[in-house]
Amino acid sequence: MNILEDICELTPAWLSGRGFRAVLADLDNTLAGYRVNEPDAAVALWMAELKKAGIALMIVSNAREERVAAFCRPLGLPYLAKAGKPGGQGLLEAVKRLGVNANETVMVGDQYFTDMRAGRNAGLQTVLVEPRVKGFWFSLRRLYETPFINRRAERL
Ligand SMILES: [Mg+2]
């Protein structure tokens, strides 16, 4: 598991340098705040750079279809809602839909117990990022996650 501050640090250079051709990304608090239906300027630019570099991006979220579709459809992004994280099955389905190999795919998200565990369960490399909005619940959760994160962490 790698740790980055922000999803925008997952640049095409970082990805292709490690042999990645596809990114599976969590939605809520990884790409946008809860209930925010569009990426901010930095995330929109990051998405455009990935596209230009030919790196596939698919959203894999545990949220409802309506929420995930509202964000992804206007962007033309493939997605899987109600993905069943921390189970790895949804991620493997996403990998298959993208037509890439698991070892060319990285899972990125803001939660250890759902996103990182799902990535590991699917046999994917993982990147934990700081959430886009850091509120009270984040602080509480991170307190609990920290010993687990530290055990797995590869700080960059
Ligand atoms: Mg999240």
Side-chain angles (χ1 to χ4, degrees):
M1 183 180 82
N2 302 286
I3 298 179
L4 294 174
E5 276 289 306
D6 191 291
I7 194 163
C8 300
E9 292 173 29
L10 210 58
T11 58
W14 192 99
L15 291 160
S16 47
R18 288 163 178 79
F20 293 124
R21 291 176 54 216
V23 176
L24 303 183
D26 169 54
L27 172 55
D28 284 315
N29 240 345
T30 296
L31 288 171
Y34 289 95
R35 288 182 287 273
V36 177
N37 280 339
E38 54 201 33
D40 63 22
V43 171
L45 183 64
W46 173 76
M47 287 176 173
E49 281 170 355
L50 246 58
K51 193 171 182 179
K52 205 163 66 185
I55 295 169
L57 174 64
M58 182 162 168
I59 309 312
V60 181
S61 169
N62 280 356
R64 296 177 296 123
E65 167 78 22
E66 300 90 299
R67 156 64 175 146
V68 188
F71 183 90
C72 294
R73 283 224 183 100
L75 301 168
L77 280 177
Y79 65 89
L80 181 69
K82 290 189 169 175
K85 298 176 288 185
Q89 217 38 52
L91 273 60
L92 290 174
E93 195 184 312
V95 165
K96 205 168 144 190
R97 265 174 59 188
L98 290 176
V100 291
N101 294 321
N103 63 8
E104 304 170 314
T105 308
V106 64
M107 171 68 202
V108 56
D110 70 304
Q111 293 201 32
Y112 180 80
F113 289 105
T114 50
D115 303 315
M116 299 301 98
R117 284 270 165 95
R120 189 141 54 89
N121 286 333
L124 305 181
Q125 294 286 319
T126 52
V127 174
L128 182 70
V129 292
E130 298 289 312
R132 300 212 70 74
V133 181
K134 293 179 193 179
F136 170 74
W137 291 111
F138 163 72
S139 310
L140 199 65
R141 199 187 71 226
R142 198 37 71 87
L143 209 62
Y144 183 57
E145 288 175 323
T146 296
F148 295 88
I149 289 170
N150 288 342
R151 211 173 302 157
R152 298 270 166 200
E154 217 179 284
R155 292 190 183 271
L156 300 169

